[in-house]
Amino acid sequence: MLEIGGGVGSLSVELVHAGAAHATVLELSSGYEAAARELLRERRLEHRVEHRLADVVADEHAVGPVDIVVMERVVCCYPDAQALVGAAARRAARRLVLSYPRYGVAARVAVAGANLVQRLLHRSFRAYAHRPEVIRSAAAAHGLQPAGPERGLVWRVIAFDRSDIAHQLAVARSRSRRTSPTTDAHGD
């Protein structure tokens, strides 16, 4: 699995601990490296989780295809959601899972306020509120379809599967609904 923008790689560590064979964390900021090494050492996962500095958008060869790509609270940190989600989708052989803040007036105001604080503190970091349709279309352009509904009140979480996998899941869900007994309030 691949975690893009994983910081110290906490999510990857948990997924490997839960059974994933291997994880690669790609991060833009070198500020996480020491803490990432320490976390891997503490959890004894140095050989199962790889932490690298790379821009998955700018460097097409940063990493090859993997089964699952994860981006937790990363899309809002990149100025071009279409490019970031597209780069992630190209590497997702089976599934892409990502989260982003719910889009709307409140999110845009919060992002503008956060960016104002960053400017006043002379920091270069900026946050972005991206339209959900941009995120979904970037995934779809690379053959990924939503695996189910988006979830989350503030942070929206969505999984995308390769079209053939999404179709297989829909068929399986449909079959399970037809074969599982259903009853109404009257037991009919």
Side-chain angles (χ1 to χ4, degrees):
M1 69 141 296
L2 171 64
E3 182 179 7
I4 297 172
V8 297
S10 299
L11 180 59
S12 287
V13 165
E14 292 303 320
L15 291 173
V16 166
H17 198 261
H22 182 269
T24 300
V25 180
L26 293 186
E27 178 55 55
L28 283 174
S29 173
S30 62
Y32 295 104
E33 286 184 282
R37 279 193 303 272
E38 182 60 28
L39 176 62
L40 294 177
R41 196 171 311 128
E42 284 174 7
R43 299 292 293 269
R44 296 186 174 118
L45 294 172
E46 301 98 319
H47 301 294
R48 293 183 58 201
V49 179
E50 177 185 4
H51 198 275
R52 297 189 346 221
L53 289 175
D55 183 338
V56 73
V57 174
D59 184 357
E60 194 60 40
H61 303 290
V63 66
V66 297
D67 281 342
I68 299 169
V69 177
V70 178
M71 292 192 295
E72 182 187 22
R73 298 183 181 190
V74 174
V75 175
C76 62
C77 299
Y78 205 84
D80 187 347
Q82 189 167 10
L84 178 61
V85 174
R90 281 191 300 279
R91 289 162 173 88
R94 284 188 33 225
R95 177 167 275 192
L96 168 62
V97 181
L98 58 86
S99 64
Y100 62 91
R102 179 183 287 277
Y103 186 79
V105 173
R108 292 192 310 270
V109 168
V111 165
N115 287 340
L116 177 61
V117 170
Q118 294 294 329
R119 279 187 198 96
L120 293 172
L121 295 173
H122 303 288
R123 294 184 181 154
S124 62
F125 175 79
R126 297 293 179 266
Y128 305 89
H130 299 294
R131 293 181 178 278
E133 52 273 10
V134 171
I135 294 166
R136 287 191 295 269
S137 69
H142 296 283
L144 295 171
Q145 298 299 318
E150 293 182 24
R151 305 212 186 269
L153 184 60
V154 177
W155 285 94
R156 306 296 287 166
V157 178
I158 186 166
F160 297 94
D161 286 333
R162 287 276 152 221
S163 298
D164 57 332
I165 294 171
H167 175 71
Q168 291 169 9
L169 288 172
V171 168
R173 273 189 236 123
S174 174
R175 284 186 186 143
S176 69
R177 274 187 242 133
R178 280 186 278 154
T179 58
S180 61
T182 58
T183 58
D184 62 17
H186 304 289
D188 296 327

